[in-house]
Amino acid sequence: MTARILDGQKIRDEILAELKDEVRLLTAAGIRPGLAAVLVGENPASQLYVKSKIAACEQVDLASALLTPPATVTTLELLAVVEDLNRDNNVDGILVQLPLPPQVDTKRILEAVDPAKDVDGFHPVNLGRLASGRPGLVACTPAGCLEILRRSGILIEGANAVVLGRSDIVGKPMALLLMHANATVTICHSKTRDLPEIVRRADIVVAAMGKAGFLQSDWIKPGAAVIDVGTNTIKDAAEAERLLHNFPARLEKFRAKGSVLVGDVHPDAVNTAGALTPVPGGVGPMTITMLMSNTVKAARLRRASLRISPTQSTATAR
Ligand code: NAP
């Protein structure tokens, strides 16, 4: 059996088209949702991420603003930047690109973001709202994983779901989302015993450990849906060979480029799973998409008196 490939790029395009319609309606009602990105210093990877996020805003016609404090910024100066954005009524979403320089107290900055504008969903208030089933902003990557499952018609209600990883930004919110969608959820972490046996019982597996190709093909119940959140860059030839010996075209690409991106699930899982997100091209494209979705949702929730047409997108209606 070969797994159905769950194409994150296709789902991203669907959602972005829906969001564009919704932004058009909001704008016609006199409100243009806006995202402010705070990019500290000149870290090239951060610059690239923020550039992609601003480009996504343009794609759905969201307003965007970029603030670029220098790498020498202090915690107090950055707090003042965040406070200004909290007060600015045209800003619906605030994104502070991580990592911040070492002299800055990252936790303090993230907790200073108004939870109503916390479109990354990192604020403890939003995690608490999710835990207690109240409306709020959910971390983008797990929200994207849920969209993939839903839009691919994978039955969540009553399913046994296993989440590998318990971080505040992926594993924990993922488990809560699946639980609220009526799955029976098991959360695994580095101290979990008999991991293969637990995974073998799962109808849905979400792997978010940051360990390249860790989850083996024969741990997966035949036909299970597997969401691979891991993004691991492999540069070692022996490691690439271990993971990709059944995928000559990908090995060839590795040899040409010197690196390859793999998930936390061994690529051979394509022969056991019923449905599988590829890496790259599965969960990855969903994260920025859900940031856009959260910004529109934040605009709706914060400006609650607003009346929008009944054609609200399903991506943001939850
Ligand atoms: P993290 O904060 O490092 O958390 C990793 C989790 O995996 C921890 O809970 C850890 O357990 C658990 N773990 C580690 N080794 C394990 C093992 N042998 N068995 C079971 N569990 C184990 O990582 P994260 O931020 O959640 O990210 C996880 C992965 O997702 C990374 O590869 C990251 O790059 C990727 N990611 C991708 C996207 C995307 O857009 N595609 C977005 C975010 C993250 P303990 O708690 O016991 O240490």
Side-chain angles (χ1 to χ4, degrees), residues 160 199-203 205 217-225 272-274:
N160 282 329
V199 175
R200 278 188 190 110
R201 292 200 292 270
D203 306 303
V205 184
S217 173
D218 65 352
W219 300 4
I220 296 168
K221 176 159 120 179
T272 358

Side-chain angles (χ1 to χ4, degrees), residues 16-68:
L16 290 181
E18 292 168 8
L19 286 172
K20 195 169 174 167
D21 284 347
E22 190 169 352
V23 172
R24 191 168 37 77
L25 289 169
L26 277 164
T27 308
I31 285 157
R32 185 154 182 236
L35 176 73
V38 181
L39 171 64
V40 177
E42 288 173 7
N43 175 331
S46 294
Q47 285 174 329
L48 199 65
Y49 287 135
V50 169
K51 200 174 155 198
S52 311
K53 291 168 186 177
I54 301 279
C57 285
E58 284 163 9
Q59 218 180 325
V60 295
D61 294 333
L62 283 179
S64 63
L66 176 61
L67 291 92
T68 55

Side-chain angles (χ1 to χ4, degrees), residues 279-299:
V279 178
V283 174
M286 295 299 292
T287 298
I288 292 183
T289 307
M290 298 317 289
L291 182 74
M292 300 300 110
S293 172
N294 269 351
T295 306
V296 177
K297 184 178 177 183

Side-chain angles (χ1 to χ4, degrees), residues 150-187:
R150 285 205 158 124
R151 288 173 183 255
S152 306
I154 287 159
L155 185 67
I156 304 175
E157 183 161 314
N160 282 329
V162 169
V163 179
L164 303 169
R166 57 175 165 180
S167 70
D168 286 349
I169 60 169
V170 188
K172 227 174 267 172
M174 186 74 244
L176 289 165
L177 285 169
L178 288 164
M179 183 188 70
H180 289 312
N182 293 327
T184 302
V185 184
T186 307
I187 306 173

